[in-house]
Amino acid sequence: MCDYADPVPEDRRPTLSDVAAEAGVSKSLVSLVMRAEPGASPSTRRRVLEAADRLGYHPDSRARLLRSGHSRLLGVVFGIQHTFHADLVTDLYTAARETGYELALSAVTPDRDEKEAITGLLQDRCEALILIAPQSTTAELARLTTRLPVVVMARGVRGVDVVRNADADGLHLAVDHLTGLGHRRIAHIDGGRAPGAADRRRGYRSAMQRHGLPLETRIVPGGLTEEDGAAAARILLDEGLPTAVAAFNDRCAIGVLDVLTRARAELSVIGYDDDRLARLSHINLTTIAQDTAAMSRLAVARAVERAEHSPAGRRELVVPPRLVIRGTTGPASASPVSAAARRR
């Protein structure tokens, strides 16, 4: 029967010394086993690992890295209210795992601004930051790069490493799809001052021009949320419906769909991002997909290159979008009609 050391108090985290006492070996031998280095016999290694398991001991790899001068942490700032940001974070974890780095997340919330989110990561001694669609000014981002490497995602910024989607091309795809279905009166609900909004407006205008529809160009104030989309849809109902709408993002498009469904108005709606909400079966939103996996791999690779002082290529990396056709777009009618009017 084994004699175990005195149990570790529940309010204290087990240490190397506790494992050494439990296994009946030296602390230095436990350290060798935990680092998976040679020097311990198979039986001793097994005894140490069993002791660690009984005590619930887990090596603090982060503390060891910090002592070495490297945290191998990539800080990520994201908006907690944005579904698309959550999709990017999911793929960033996958990309980071392949490099041996870990992520430290810091969220922007209604009562926690971006500056506070960044400050928290600086205190964690991250080796580089990945900022998803940041609201900070170009000057603020430039100052931040003097402290550590910064990679910006989903926004074009001069003088900083950027990984973004080709936003203007996305609206080209949207307008091409809608005109191919026979639509001419196509409105764009824009994203205001949100990252990418200006490029999407530009893409919409140029696509309408290319299809010979400059007089049908119509930009309606919108935003990033379902509430913004709903407000824009009410404007369309009051001022006259087009036959199709290209919304700034999927959340905005979902707000449009909600108001139009309640009003029994039928028109084609296309979103942007292909976030998890767009893929829900009861929404089934036609959308422009951003390649979050490719963008995340590029962002992590660039952050690691900068953190390790490796040679890096051009500052801005642009990933092409693609069209995903689902159930919210279809052939144009002579004019938008309500389901109720069609039944009469």
Side-chain angles (χ1 to χ4, degrees):
M1 184 173 180
C2 295
D3 292 326
Y4 295 139
D6 293 335
V8 178
E10 292 184 0
D11 61 349
R12 183 170 69 81
R13 181 177 177 177
T15 65
L16 276 178
S17 298
D18 296 323
V19 176
E22 178 78 3
V25 298
S26 68
K27 181 179 175 182
S28 60
L29 193 55
V30 172
S31 180
L32 284 176
V33 172
M34 292 302 163
R35 297 199 305 272
E37 294 182 0
S41 68
S43 60
T44 299
R45 187 175 301 276
R46 184 171 59 254
R47 191 163 77 251
V48 168
L49 293 176
E50 289 173 349
D53 186 60
R54 285 195 298 273
L55 295 175
Y57 172 81
H58 300 285
D60 190 345
S61 58
R62 184 173 296 183
R64 185 172 70 250
L65 286 167
L66 286 173
R67 286 194 296 272
S68 73
H70 297 283
S71 69
R72 295 191 74 80
L73 277 179
L74 302 178
V76 178
V77 174
F78 68 105
I80 199 169
Q81 71 274 30
H82 299 305
T83 312
F84 177 64
H85 288 201
D87 291 344
L88 278 173
V89 168
T90 299
D91 286 331
L92 285 169
Y93 267 114
T94 301
R97 187 183 303 120
E98 295 171 356
T99 67
Y101 278 72
E102 294 183 13
L103 300 186
L105 303 184
S106 192
V108 177
T109 72
D111 59 357
R112 186 175 192 255
D113 64 17
E114 192 168 278
K115 183 177 180 180
E116 186 176 352
I118 291 171
T119 298
L121 293 175
L122 294 176
Q123 293 171 348
D124 285 341
R125 294 179 61 181
C126 293
E127 296 198 50
L129 295 184
I130 298 174
L131 310 181
I132 300 178
Q135 298 293 324
S136 300
T137 66
T138 301
E140 289 169 337
L141 292 171
R143 284 195 295 271
L144 186 59
T145 61
T146 65
R147 302 185 62 176
L148 79 173
V150 174
V151 178
V152 169
M153 296 188 74
R155 176 188 165 190
V157 185
R158 292 183 179 178
V160 180
D161 286 308
V162 168
V163 176
R164 67 173 181 86
N165 168 75
D167 291 289
D169 291 351
L171 263 293
H172 289 175
L173 292 174
V175 173
D176 289 350
H177 171 60
L178 293 170
T179 55
L181 292 170
H183 294 279
R184 294 180 57 82
R185 289 187 288 122
I186 303 166
H188 174 50
I189 299 176
D190 84 346
R193 300 182 65 182
D199 282 343
R200 294 180 195 182
R201 282 192 295 272
R202 177 169 55 82
Y204 163 73
R205 288 193 182 99
S206 65
M208 293 292 282
Q209 178 76 32
R210 177 164 49 84
H211 284 283
L213 302 172
L215 298 180
E216 302 292 347
T217 298
R218 182 180 181 187
I219 297 178
V220 181
L224 288 78
T225 68
E226 292 87 350
E227 291 78 8
D228 294 325
R234 286 190 284 269
I235 292 173
L236 292 175
L237 286 169
D238 289 342
E239 297 181 356
L241 288 173
T243 64
V245 167
F248 170 72
N249 67 5
D250 291 338
R251 291 183 63 192
C252 180
I254 290 168
V256 172
L257 287 171
D258 181 62
V259 170
L260 295 178
T261 299
R262 294 173 189 276
R264 297 188 176 184
E266 291 187 349
L267 66 157
S268 289
V269 177
I270 184 167
Y272 205 115
D273 289 339
D274 193 29
D275 67 27
R276 64 190 65 183
L277 294 178
R279 300 190 290 269
L280 293 175
S281 59
H282 68 283
I283 295 176
N284 199 31
L285 180 68
T286 296
T287 188
I288 303 301
Q290 299 198 52
D291 190 340
T292 57
M295 292 169 66
S296 297
R297 286 194 300 270
L298 290 170
V300 168
R302 178 52 51 88
V304 171
E305 287 170 351
R306 295 300 187 190
E308 297 180 352
H309 308 290
S310 301
R314 62 184 185 278
R315 281 284 197 179
E316 185 175 65
L317 303 173
V318 182
V319 178
R322 61 186 175 87
L323 172 68
V324 179
I325 301 173
R326 297 195 180 98
T328 59
T329 53
S333 303
S335 62
V337 296
S338 71
R342 182 177 292 174
R343 288 196 295 269
R344 289 199 293 267

